[in-house]
Amino acid sequence: MAIGISVIGTGYLGTTHAACMAEMGFEVVGVDIDQERVALLASGRAPVYEPDLQELLSKHVVGQPGSTGLLRFTTSWETAAAGADVHFVCVSTPQRHGGLAADMSHVEAAIEALSPHLSRPALVVGKSTVPVGSASRLAERLALLAPAGQEAELAWNPEFLREGHAVGDTLRPDRLVVGVRSRRAESLLRAVYAKPISQGVPFLVTDFATAELVKAAANSFLATKISFINAMAEVCEAAGADVLQLSEALGHDARIGKEFLNAGLGFGGGCLPKDIRAFMARAGELGADQALTFLREVDLINMRRRTRMVDMARQYCGGEFLGKRVAVLGAAFKPNSDDVRDSPALNVAAQIQLYGGQVTVYDPKANDNARRAFPTLDYVDSARGAAHEADIVLHLTEWQEFRDMEPAALDGVCHKRILDGRNCLDPVRWRKAGWTYRALGRPSV
Ligand code: UDX
């Protein structure tokens, strides 16, 4: 039997998942309550920047010249329910206003809206990152609301994709984790993921709570690793040591590994910061808060990097920002993405502006999103434009364009002072070209 798929929510996760399911050969309908977004997607255009995503949409969206026609988008729950056997819930769970916990309202609204239309057997598969215990609660709601009753089942299948690599990570994940309560749910998910499984991707079957926890634990571990190396950067700064050499030496130990040991401005984005906070909040509710108090320290170390960056920039500007021009290279929370949610780069830019600095930002892809989030900062279309008459240049998101940039590209437009917030410019090259180069966690000369 051909399996029909619906994907609920068309953000970074949902749009990518829908496009990749079509790429795997399934007939897919993407559902969102945002009419404008659905109209954009239905016309074959990606609402977010993610490498290879636009190509997949052009290849599969119904009505595009030469497309497979496997992928369409709708705002209708009825249409979604009628055409699909498996429904992936990919809506966001942002940090709740006024607290650390996750805001579950989008997930709950999706289940409430979809369930009444499920009159034939269906598997609803949660991919959103949720507090442990949510799946169990949502399964009850689903069984209660769906006309199909017990034939409408829930599974939890956390998503581990990285932004900037979302398409590749979805087509070739490093593992698949499914929390299920029946053989039927497991075999349906094995059929959906038959391709990656046949390529050797590990398929791990767990209960609901474990599947939910795998995601929270993975993101907590990654955040901890980044904050660990950034804590070492703080010590390096105090001791006059070099955190880059330190992390390289650590990384050779196979038990530690070199991934996620890049010291710099720290983590941001729509996942790690809010996920560790939601995890702490949930552990508190469960009476296990002591187990995760270390995550508070992880969060604080991460935030201190932003403050440290602002302090270093202030020093460079002679002790105050008033009347000083600051160029900011990068606005996205990481390269190859236009996502500016909790972006360390924009956080630093906004702080400097609050202290009276005149900040001009350039990002290869995220200028528009950044402008919407921080409309009072100035935005330009090139690194050279941002650096115009700048007292200092801050490198805050490590786009390849900035890594490759020759110092000569900024000749004659600004003071030759650069602060590398991502530790990936070559100090020798910049110093040779007459620049004062400084970076977080590294000696100044
Ligand atoms: C993360 C997880 O990696 C992914 O598995 C999960 O599904 C969602 O959350 P993402 O938010 O896309 O993915 O970004 P990630 O690559 O993890 O980077 C997060 C932040 O940490 C970025 O701001 C990045 O610049 C920063 N980072 C990463 C570092 O500061 N140092 C590092 O060594 C690695």
Side-chain angles (χ1 to χ4, degrees):
M1 152 197 126
I3 301 170
I5 287 179
S6 92
V7 176
I8 298 156
T10 57
Y12 289 89
L13 168 58
T15 305
T16 306
H17 194 68
C20 289
M21 285 289 125
E23 178 71 5
M24 288 184 199
F26 295 102
E27 210 164 294
V28 183
V29 56
V31 196
D32 207 298
I33 52 171
D34 183 336
Q35 294 197 348
E36 255 180 59
R37 188 172 272 253
V38 166
L40 189 74
L41 282 159
S43 72
R45 278 174 296 157
V48 295
Y49 174 72
E50 190 61 54
D52 303 326
L53 183 58
Q54 181 56 60
E55 289 72 12
L56 283 191
L57 292 176
S58 304
K59 186 172 167 190
H60 297 297
V61 172
V62 168
Q64 294 304 294
S67 93
T68 61
L70 286 172
L71 179 55
R72 67 213 155 89
F73 291 92
T74 182
T75 53
S76 157
W77 294 103
E78 248 173 323
T79 310
D85 311 285
V86 177
H87 303 272
F88 285 102
V89 178
C90 295
V91 295
S92 64
T93 50
Q95 188 173 337
R96 197 185 289 167
H97 286 295
L100 294 184
D103 175 355
M104 284 288 289
S105 61
H106 302 304
V107 176
E108 280 155 8
I111 297 289
E112 298 287 316
L114 175 70
S115 304
H117 298 285
L118 298 176
S119 42
R120 63 188 180 101
L123 184 65
V124 177
V125 185
K127 286 194 88 64
S128 310
T129 302
V130 295
V132 59
S134 304
S136 193
R137 184 167 49 80
L138 294 167
E140 276 175 33
R141 237 8 237 159
L142 177 65
L144 191 76
L145 294 173
Q150 299 298 327
E151 294 286 299
E153 234 193 292
L154 192 79
W156 216 263
N157 168 218
E159 179 56 57
F160 304 105
L161 66 75
R162 298 160 299 168
E163 287 182 28
H165 304 267
V167 168
D169 285 353
T170 306
L171 294 174
R172 292 171 297 281
D174 47 17
R175 80 285 211 192
L176 289 157
V177 176
V178 298
V180 293
R181 281 187 172 166
S182 75
R183 293 304 294 258
R184 173 177 157 258
E186 179 186 334
S187 45
L188 203 45
L189 283 165
R190 281 188 188 276
V192 167
Y193 289 121
K195 195 158 182 198
I197 292 170
S198 74
Q199 293 164 341
V201 173
F203 186 84
L204 305 164
V205 182
T206 70
D207 53 32
F208 281 178
T210 308
E212 292 167 317
L213 275 178
V214 170
K215 177 62 190 270
N219 276 0
S220 298
F221 189 84
L222 294 173
T224 303
K225 212 171 169 195
I226 299 168
S227 276
F228 174 82
I229 200 63
N230 282 334
M232 294 306 109
E234 286 188 22
V235 179
C236 283
E237 282 160 18
D242 186 335
V243 74
L244 244 69
Q245 292 177 351
L246 178 80
S247 73
E248 192 193 342
L250 289 177
H252 285 297
D253 184 330
R255 296 167 303 173
I256 298 174
K258 63 180 169 47
E259 300 293 329
F260 270 67
L261 273 191
N262 300 323
L265 200 46
F267 58 83
C271 294
L272 297 192
K274 64 102 178 159
D275 285 350
I276 62 169
R277 291 171 195 159
F279 198 20
M280 282 186 271
R282 184 64 185 138
E285 288 168 5
L286 293 170
D289 43 344
Q290 273 191 341
L292 298 187
T293 45
F294 75 96
L295 286 179
R296 193 175 157 71
E297 209 50 55
V298 165
D299 205 348
L300 289 173
I301 293 166
N302 192 52
M303 288 305 174
R304 275 208 301 276
R305 290 288 80 187
R306 303 177 185 188
T307 316
R308 172 75 182 141
M309 189 72 197
V310 173
D311 289 344
M312 276 172 78
R314 187 189 285 108
Q315 268 175 24
Y316 249 170
C317 287
E320 55 169 273
F321 287 118
L322 265 185
K324 295 289 169 26
R325 299 181 74 97
V326 179
V328 166
L329 304 184
F333 84 99
K334 67 189 286 193
N336 299 320
S337 172
D338 63 355
D339 194 347
V340 300
R341 285 176 292 173
D342 199 356
S343 164
L346 281 178
N347 182 305
V348 166
Q351 284 192 56
I352 293 176
Q353 193 195 35
L354 282 178
Y355 288 121
Q358 294 203 0
V359 184
T360 308
V361 180
Y362 164 64
D363 188 284
K365 294 284 181 198
N367 268 8
D368 289 345
N369 285 343
R371 191 181 286 112
R372 272 191 284 274
F374 290 91
T376 58
L377 297 171
D378 283 332
Y379 298 91
V380 293
D381 289 335
S382 67
R384 196 173 159 86
H388 183 68
E389 292 185 350
D391 292 281
I392 181 173
V393 177
L394 308 184
H395 173 237
L396 303 184
T397 311
E398 69 276 32
W399 285 90
Q400 197 61 40
E401 176 180 336
F402 303 144
R403 287 169 178 264
D404 293 344
M405 192 165 67
E406 286 298 331
L410 304 183
D411 263 1
V413 295
C414 59
H415 288 278
K416 289 187 164 184
R417 299 182 196 125
I418 189 157
L419 261 182
D420 185 1
R422 291 296 177 181
N423 270 317
C424 58
L425 303 178
D426 179 1
V428 177
R429 188 169 8 149
W430 285 81
R431 284 178 183 146
K432 254 193 188 154
W435 285 69
T436 309
Y437 169 98
R438 282 190 68 190
L440 293 165
R442 306 194 77 183
S444 47
V445 276

